[in-house]
Amino acid sequence: MEPAQPADRVPTAATPPDGQPPVRSTAAPSPEAGEPALVEPATAPAPRADAGEPALVEPDDGAAPGASVEHPAVAGDQPAPPPRRDKSRSERSPRDMALSLLVLLVPIALLLAFYRGFLGGDEPATVDPAPAVEEARAANAFPVSTPAGLTSDWRTVSARYQTEPGGATLRIGYLTPEGRGAQLVESNVPAEKLLPAELSGGQPQGTADLPGGRWQRYTARGNEQALVLLEPTRTVIVVGDAGDIELRQLAAALR
């Protein structure tokens, strides 16, 4: 005989009708008297992340506040391509630089060829010494001589007559056949003042065998040399970086 069961006890299995398997009760045990019933919190399914966006991940409790948390890459994400940069000047190849220089040099070469071939760019600018010579003769301050019989290779590049304290001076500049410079100076300024100014303190080096007077050789500024003719009413100087032969040729041509 079985012992008596409590009145509130629910049988663990109901006796099925004949021929049927026993049925297990699904009822939850009732709470003890005086104890509140435990209620399971309702759990809603987590929202599904949109396709292509990384899922938000809650930071770890141990992470420092404000610290960034790296999220794992979402499958299917591709790294963004680096921004395209325009080709700068420093990245140009030597070939590009050579082409740029060629574009600049071609017009310059054409202009230079036109200047030399048609405008006579290599030819020195020449002047007519006649106005300065006429002015000096009109002033009648000293006898004026000019070279005669020089070839066309002697080109006059400057001519000026000017008065100054103590007298007046005529200067005529030449470009010699060898492309050197020579200057003819005629003045009534006292020689002791004129020679230091024109020859930069040059010193006499002896006489020169030339027609038309007693010429003396002098040193001059830099690599120049001079021929000097001292007369009572004037001083004549032939000076320049031209060779001795060309200076002598200019001095001998004076008339």
Side-chain angles (χ1 to χ4, degrees), residues 193-205 218-221:
K193 180 181 178 180
L194 179 68
L195 293 180
E198 297 294 331
L199 306 181
S200 299
Q203 299 298 319
Q205 300 296 311
Y218 272 75
T219 58
R221 52 186 174 271

Side-chain angles (χ1 to χ4, degrees), residues 68-144:
S68 60
V69 179
E70 296 184 0
H71 301 293
V74 179
D77 286 352
Q78 296 295 333
R84 184 177 180 182
R85 295 185 304 171
D86 293 336
K87 203 172 188 181
S88 63
R89 292 180 183 268
S90 60
E91 295 176 347
R92 290 182 178 177
S93 65
R95 179 175 177 273
D96 294 338
M97 297 176 67
L99 290 176
S100 300
L101 287 175
L102 184 62
V103 170
L104 293 175
L105 291 176
V106 167
I108 295 175
L110 292 176
L111 288 174
L112 194 59
F114 177 78
Y115 176 71
R116 289 181 174 179
F118 296 93
L119 302 181
D122 290 338
E123 298 294 327
T126 58
V127 299
D128 183 7
V133 172
E134 293 300 325
E135 185 179 358
R137 284 175 175 167
N140 200 26
F142 52 83
V144 176

Side-chain angles (χ1 to χ4, degrees), residues 28-54:
S30 60
E32 296 290 335
E35 293 184 5
L38 297 176
V39 179
E40 294 283 338
T43 56
R48 182 181 179 185
D50 293 338
E53 297 183 0

